[in-house]
Amino acid sequence: MKKYKYYIGIDPGVKTGLAIYDREEKSIALITSGTLLEIQYILQSHPWNKLIKFGQVFVRMEDSRLRKWIPRQKTESAERGRREGAGHVKAHCAIWEDFFKIWAIPYELVAPKNNKTKVTADYFKMISNCPAKTNSHERDAGMLVIGS
C-alpha cells in the first residue's frame, strides 16, 4: 500500500472533527472542528490543496452509513432525535464521499465499530503528543489517523 505524507481523519456530523497527521513527523499537524463547509474550506485552502494535487494526502472518514445498530432511546422524543441525528450524519457522509471523488482524494470509509472513539483528552494527549485542547469530535478524527 502506498505511504502518504499526510493522513486526514474526519469525524462527520453537525460538528465535524478534523485531524491531519504527518506520518514523517509522527505528529498531529492540525486538529480542529467546525461545520461541514468550514472543514471542506480548510481542505481546499493552501497548502492542503497543493498536497492533495500531488498525491500526498489520504483520508480516513468514519462513515455512519456502515453502522449496523444504534441503541434505542427511552423516550419517544429522544428516539425521534436519535433518528433525525443519524439521518443528518448519514447525509453528511454522502456529501463527503462526493467531495473526495470530485477532488480525486484517495479515501477510506471506516465503520464506527472499527475506530476507537470517545477517548479522554488525557489519553489522546498521551498517545498523540498533541498539546492542543481537543473536543470529542477532534479526538475521534485523530484516532482514525494516529499511527498511520
Side-chain angles (χ1 to χ4, degrees), residues 59-101:
V59 172
R60 297 189 79 227
M61 182 185 79
E62 185 176 282
D63 188 348
S64 65
R65 298 172 297 174
L66 302 175
R67 180 180 300 261
K68 301 292 181 212
W69 178 78
I70 300 172
R72 298 269 180 214
Q73 300 298 309
K74 292 182 181 181
T75 67
E76 178 55 38
S77 64
E79 180 61 21
R80 188 171 44 254
R82 177 193 70 86
R83 285 192 306 267
E84 288 172 5
H88 183 85
V89 175
K90 287 179 179 185
H92 275 212
C93 291
I95 292 167
W96 273 110
E97 191 169 14
D98 287 344
F99 177 84
F100 303 144
K101 289 175 182 174

Side-chain angles (χ1 to χ4, degrees), residues 16 27 48 56 77 95 103 125:
T16 297
S27 66
W48 302 112
Q56 297 179 355
S77 64
I95 292 167
W103 279 74
K125 194 174 283 193

Side-chain angles (χ1 to χ4, degrees), residues 2 18 24 26 36 43 49 53-55 59-60 75 100-101 107 128-129 134:
K2 179 180 176 179
L18 171 71
E24 293 168 2
K26 296 184 179 4
L36 179 143
L43 295 178
N49 64 352
K53 281 187 214 173
F54 294 115
V59 172
R60 297 189 79 227
T75 67
F100 303 144
K101 289 175 182 174
Y107 67 96
S128 68
N129 246 353
T134 57

Side-chain angles (χ1 to χ4, degrees), residues 14 45 63 66-67 78 81 91 107 110 122 140:
V14 174
S45 300
D63 188 348
L66 302 175
R67 180 180 300 261
Y107 67 96
V110 179
D122 290 337
D140 286 355

Side-chain angles (χ1 to χ4, degrees), residues 9 47 56 84 122 133-136 143 145:
Q56 297 179 355
E84 288 172 5
D122 290 337
K133 185 177 177 183
T134 57
N135 64 40
S136 64
M143 294 304 290
V145 293

